[in-house]
Amino acid sequence: MVQSGIIRLLEEMTLKEKIGQLQQLPGSCFEEDFVLTGPENFMNFTEEDLILAGSVLSITGAGKLKGIQKRFMEKHPHHIPLIFMADVINGYKTIFPIPLGQGAGFNPALTEAGARVAAREASAAGIQLFFSPMADLVRDPRWGRVMESTGEDPYLNSVFARASVEGYQGKKGRDGRADLKRKGSVAACVKHFAGYGAAMAGRDYNTVELSERTLRDEYLPAYQAAVEAGVETVMTSFNLMNRIPASGNAHLMREILREEWGFDGVLISDWAAIGEMVNHRVAENEKEAAFLAIRAGVDIDMCTRCYAGNLESLIEEGRVPESLVDEAVLRVLNLKNRLGLFEDPYKDADEEEEKTILLCEENRAEARKAASESFVLLKNEGILPLEDLEDAALIGPFADSGMIYGAWSIFAEKEDSVTIEEGLRKAGWKGRMAAGCVLSTDYPKVGMGGAQCFVEKDEARDEKLLNGALKLAKKAGKVILTIGELNIMTGEASSRGMLDIPSMQMKLLRKVAEVNPNIITLLFTGRPLDLREIAALSKAVLVVWQPGTEGGNAVSDVLTGKESPSGKLPMSFPYCVGQVPVFYNEMSTGRHYEPGNPDQFVSRYADIPNAPLYPFGFGLSYSKFEISEVSLSGDTLHLGAGDVLQASVTVRNTGSREAKEVVQMYLRDDVSSTARPVRELKGFEKISLKPGEERKVSFTIREEMLAFTGSDDRRRAEKGSFTVYVGNSSETENSAGFILS
Ligand code: NOJ
């Protein structure tokens, strides 16, 4: 529809109809057994809401959605279609590694390709908008949602946020917008704006306390990268920002997002987040919460009736100008128009295509690549890759489990996954397998899926399982041990105080180690864990995260050496829980501690090291790489001149296998008007080298990479000396210096 048509439509709509566009309903409202005002329906939606709503979330299936859309539009006074939105995070049916695993892949091209696969699959099933990417910076592994992020680094997160948006929507055209009408594209929604990843003590939905500088320099860049990539929508977060809930925070939404960044798309609240301002005690009731949210700039109310029940009276009372509502409605209508829904309200929904493209070979192949590149080898005492599969026993509760995808894979079926056992069998393994224990008898029955994860203790069963595994382990040359967190121990509402694995699994590891020292641990996890004992008892530790549909094939590719591990940690793995949050890009303190320094009064723990067990950017390979000294194309950049420096190294594969390595560039501002991180990732490149092969890798250093929020609150680079580090982990000391003059 042409823009004038949209304006005309807006003018013709009644106020109630307009407010309807700002109402998002849960999918359950459209299920046949939905009880409109039953006791469980705490949202109390009305008959009228169901006729006038603007969008719906979390329902899928081409046939079903077409039916819902058709019936809905027939009843709607202006026949305006709904937008079907859903949480498609790391895949729809073909599941890719969890985002944290994708971050470990350090390969944004794979993430973009994966996002395209997800968009093609889900759009065939009728979904038109994804609540993804999650661009929250995460530093505290107790927070269950770290699995939804790509980690602790602003630059890494920005690169991945951009890759996801471009994968979902397509790249921006000359008009600055992606072509959402294109078949197989969906609108993206970057979330959770802003700073949700800083939930205090890692407890979900908890308070956030961030300085404006930390917010701007570290937490905001990834959301901004998504906006620059053309993301169509932004979701608010549940937390406070400077003691104002994000969903009522005009500084975040009007000043930063809209005015500074020029975002003109749709802002949607997180689930019930407008209403929750009453619980935050900044609004007396839902009406006041609606007032705060609309004034601060939230367009769509997800799943409460705060807008539907109150905007009309707020306008009548003159507290909210109708023009504010009109602006929000216009943005929603524009989004519908860009999706092409006024011409074709079903967009790509297609039952036939659903049958052919969901989980097709091509999609699975992409997921397999993404999974194998996401694995991080933390330890290897010469045991991997496996020269001889035959003498290996496969043990552990994940060995034949299809539940190897992450918490948000709500549309996936575990039957579609390739299990570790299946993957190894396909690679020719004929050995034996034993679970050894159930997944968990001690994980509490809370969180999104706690109850499903939990199995009652049964001594006879547990002993039988353990003995069966030990019998196998004794006879085997080596043991591939699959242990870790089940997906539902991570994700929303799954914060943990202990960074361990369930006790039954730990017992299994200890017992197996007593009879066979050759343990290769495959660690399934959605967060960094305390791996001290696990690493000590294993000859090799391969972090496989929650690898997705093709997990079994990808694991066999890496164990057998068909692929060398090339993942790097996107989040530091702490020494122990007491150390968190621990992250590489911390500030310098006034009493800096260097290991070995005998001084008492320095910033250190008395009983544990300062350094994490495994740092950001770390990951081993089956090959070896030599990285030359850093050579700089010059020693000076000139402020405001737009010139650049090249920092180059030569990387040589000195091992005997073809392998990939992630070359990482970090910058350090030696002295600045406000404290700066000790170093910051500003570039990386994943390269593949044959044995004996070498390649020059160059990074361009530009002035804007040196910018930060200075003591005058302006973002800019300051003159002075800088250090550039290039290596294969955040701990590299391979460096050179330059000046910004
Ligand atoms: C709440 C979560 O915080 C958000 O990430 C998700 O997209 C919405 N619910 C919708 O399911």
Side-chain angles (χ1 to χ4, degrees):
M1 206 190 282
V2 289
Q3 189 61 23
S4 54
I6 297 287
I7 307 276
R8 212 170 316 122
L9 175 61
L10 180 68
E11 283 165 1
E12 283 171 13
M13 290 162 76
T14 62
L15 181 57
K16 271 206 166 62
E17 277 177 66
K18 289 194 277 193
I19 294 170
Q21 288 304 304
L22 310 183
Q23 175 72 61
Q24 175 154 107
L25 294 175
S28 54
C29 292
F30 293 90
E31 302 290 355
E32 267 158 31
D33 53 1
F34 174 65
V35 188
L36 198 57
T37 49
E40 310 90 315
N41 175 26
F42 70 95
M43 298 164 240
N44 285 317
F45 292 115
T46 66
E47 209 55 82
E48 197 175 43
D49 297 334
L50 268 65
I51 292 171
L52 297 182
S55 55
V56 58
L57 85 163
S58 263
I59 34 174
T60 187
K64 182 175 173 180
L65 297 197
K66 279 187 190 170
I68 290 174
Q69 187 77 297
K70 184 166 179 290
R71 288 191 296 278
F72 178 85
M73 288 175 68
E74 280 165 5
K75 283 199 199 154
H76 190 280
H78 280 92
H79 315 294
I80 301 177
L82 291 161
I83 309 183
F84 294 109
M85 309 191 180
D87 285 289
V88 176
I89 309 294
N90 48 303
Y92 173 66
K93 289 284 179 192
T94 304
I95 301 300
F96 284 69
I98 51 169
L100 196 61
Q102 293 187 36
F106 274 73
N107 191 342
L110 287 179
T111 289
E112 191 179 329
R116 270 199 300 275
V117 167
R120 269 202 306 271
E121 288 194 353
S123 61
I127 296 170
Q128 298 153 349
L129 182 148
F130 291 177
F131 294 134
S132 172
M134 194 257 230
D136 301 330
L137 186 86
V138 293
R139 291 173 163 175
D140 193 329
R142 291 171 296 184
W143 195 44
R145 304 196 75 169
V146 302
M147 49 87 40
E148 295 176 54
S149 162
T150 46
E152 74 186 31
D153 184 74
Y155 175 74
L156 190 70
N157 289 353
S158 302
V159 170
F160 278 97
R162 191 175 306 122
S164 296
V165 171
E166 291 182 346
Y168 296 145
Q169 301 188 161
K171 292 207 174 20
K172 288 195 300 190
R174 285 224 184 95
D175 60 351
R177 298 223 170 254
D179 177 10
L180 298 179
K181 291 187 185 134
R182 191 178 44 91
K183 189 170 158 60
S185 74
V186 295
C189 176
V190 69
K191 65 190 189 184
H192 306 83
F193 195 71
Y196 184 30
M200 206 175 268
R203 209 179 69 216
D204 209 0
Y205 316 120
N206 201 9
T207 298
V208 161
E209 192 64 65
L210 285 178
S211 73
E212 181 80 7
R213 290 197 176 95
T214 302
L215 173 72
R216 285 184 176 271
D217 289 355
E218 284 150 44
Y219 283 78
L220 293 185
Y223 310 111
Q224 189 173 9
V227 169
E228 284 167 5
V231 75
E232 288 286 343
T233 64
V234 174
M235 186 188 293
T236 68
S237 55
F238 289 124
N239 53 277
L240 302 181
M241 186 57 65
N242 201 15
R243 304 205 180 180
I244 298 176
S247 304
N249 198 310
H251 175 56
L252 283 179
M253 293 185 284
R254 291 222 181 264
E255 289 171 20
I256 297 180
L257 184 63
R258 295 226 187 265
E259 284 164 31
E260 288 183 32
W261 300 354
F263 176 70
D264 65 353
V266 170
L267 247 164
I268 180 167
S269 78
D270 200 347
W271 183 294
I274 298 182
E276 284 170 17
M277 285 198 275
V278 176
N279 304 346
H280 280 291
R281 294 192 290 115
V282 301
E284 206 175 331
N285 49 38
E286 291 194 352
K287 182 171 178 180
E288 295 310 310
F291 174 70
L292 292 178
I294 193 84
R295 214 184 41 166
V298 178
D299 299 322
I300 298 182
D301 178 355
M302 186 194 290
C303 300
T304 71
R305 289 200 79 251
C306 292
Y307 278 6
N310 300 294
L311 281 182
E312 218 176 337
S313 56
L314 283 167
I315 291 170
E316 272 163 22
E317 291 160 18
R319 293 179 64 201
V320 168
E322 191 165 344
S323 60
L324 211 57
V325 170
D326 286 352
E327 280 169 26
V329 176
L330 190 58
R331 282 193 282 265
V332 174
L333 294 177
N334 279 337
L335 175 59
K336 293 185 176 182
N337 198 25
R338 282 198 291 278
L339 282 162
L341 301 185
F342 291 111
E343 288 82 37
D344 181 0
Y346 313 118
K347 194 166 167 6
D348 303 329
D350 184 334
E351 294 92 320
E352 285 312 305
E353 202 149 281
E354 262 183 312
K355 286 185 203 138
T356 54
I357 69 161
L358 304 188
L359 291 157
C360 68
E361 282 311 310
E362 199 187 330
N363 295 358
R364 282 181 173 272
E366 286 294 346
R368 183 172 180 162
K369 264 190 281 176
S372 69
E373 287 211 16
S374 74
F375 300 162
V376 186
L377 184 64
L378 293 181
K379 176 176 178 179
N380 186 16
E381 287 180 347
I383 195 168
L384 285 177
L386 292 176
E387 299 303 342
D388 179 10
L389 270 184
E390 270 330 293
D391 72 344
L394 178 63
I395 292 178
F398 290 91
D400 67 347
S401 169
M403 285 279 270
I404 51 175
Y405 45 77
W408 269 112
S409 303
I410 47 183
F411 304 111
E413 311 293 338
K414 61 178 190 292
E415 291 71 28
D416 293 326
S417 308
V418 178
T419 66
I420 307 304
E421 185 194 7
E422 286 163 356
L424 286 172
R425 297 266 180 241
K426 280 198 244 167
W429 175 69
K430 296 195 179 58
R432 294 183 58 201
M433 189 211 74
C437 65
V438 294
L439 278 157
S440 174
T441 54
D442 51 10
Y443 184 68
K445 292 185 199 180
V446 297
M448 283 238 280
Q452 301 161 44
C453 176
F454 181 87
V455 182
E456 292 295 341
K457 267 206 174 87
D458 173 342
E459 271 174 29
R461 177 205 60 204
D462 294 343
E463 207 179 305
K464 197 164 153 215
L465 283 174
L466 181 62
N467 288 339
L470 293 180
K471 227 156 113 192
L472 268 193
K474 259 186 220 155
K475 279 193 263 159
K478 42 189 119 44
V479 173
I480 302 167
L481 191 69
T482 62
I483 50 176
E485 285 190 314
L486 184 61
N487 60 6
I488 47 193
M489 292 168 73
T490 68
E492 187 177 346
S494 295
S495 294
R496 299 189 58 207
M498 305 294 286
L499 298 177
D500 59 1
I501 63 170
S503 61
M504 299 293 280
Q505 297 188 39
M506 208 52 213
K507 180 171 169 191
L508 175 67
L509 167 62
R510 290 183 189 125
K511 290 285 180 194
V512 169
E514 283 171 16
V515 298
N516 192 327
N518 297 321
I519 298 175
I520 297 149
T521 294
L522 297 182
L523 186 77
F524 292 77
T525 183
R527 53 157 65 82
L529 296 172
D530 170 353
L531 295 185
R532 281 173 298 162
E533 189 178 357
I534 292 176
L537 293 176
S538 312
K539 281 247 163 81
V541 178
L542 185 70
V543 177
V544 298
W545 311 108
Q546 286 142 351
T549 310
E550 285 290 310
N553 284 331
V555 161
S556 102
D557 289 344
V558 171
L559 290 186
T560 59
K562 196 171 147 202
E563 300 286 341
S564 172
S566 62
K568 301 281 180 178
L569 292 181
M571 225 185 142
S572 306
F573 271 48
Y575 181 85
C576 63
V577 186
Q579 203 185 39
V580 303
V582 58
F583 45 94
Y584 86 94
N585 41 3
E586 62 179 5
M587 300 292 155
S588 298
T589 68
R591 295 189 176 198
H592 182 65
Y593 170 70
E594 283 294 345
N597 177 351
D599 238 344
Q600 285 286 310
F601 296 97
V602 288
S603 179
R604 64 175 297 191
Y605 295 104
D607 51 353
I608 59 165
N610 277 12
L613 196 60
Y614 299 105
F616 176 86
F618 171 78
L620 302 169
S621 161
Y622 292 158
S623 203
K624 283 206 164 55
F625 296 92
E626 229 172 61
I627 301 179
S628 71
E629 282 181 6
V630 186
S631 99
L632 276 172
S633 58
D635 56 11
T636 310
L637 272 182
H638 301 91
L639 194 70
D643 52 354
V644 300
L645 287 177
Q646 299 292 334
S648 310
V649 291
T650 301
V651 185
R652 185 176 166 76
N653 183 345
T654 57
S656 54
R657 291 176 171 273
E658 178 167 358
K660 298 193 176 90
E661 179 59 298
V662 180
V663 190
Q664 305 160 38
M665 179 191 66
Y666 297 85
L667 292 176
R668 171 192 177 94
D669 192 338
D670 294 331
V671 181
S672 41
S673 64
T674 57
R676 309 274 293 114
V678 290
R679 61 178 66 180
E680 298 168 288
L681 184 73
K682 290 291 176 180
F684 63 85
E685 195 179 331
K686 194 170 204 174
I687 57 169
S688 181
L689 293 177
K690 296 201 168 58
E693 197 186 353
E694 63 176 39
R695 186 163 326 147
K696 185 172 168 186
V697 178
S698 295
F699 297 99
T700 304
I701 303 175
R702 303 171 201 283
E703 185 185 314
E704 71 244 26
M705 292 174 165
L706 313 177
F708 65 100
T709 311
S711 55
D712 57 359
D713 290 338
R714 282 177 47 221
R715 186 173 170 81
R716 61 185 165 81
E718 288 175 0
K719 288 182 180 175
S721 71
F722 293 82
T723 309
V724 50
Y725 301 85
V726 183
N728 57 5
S729 104
S730 62
E731 291 194 331
T732 181
E733 287 303 333
N734 191 28
S735 62
F738 66 93
I739 302 285
L740 177 68
S741 76

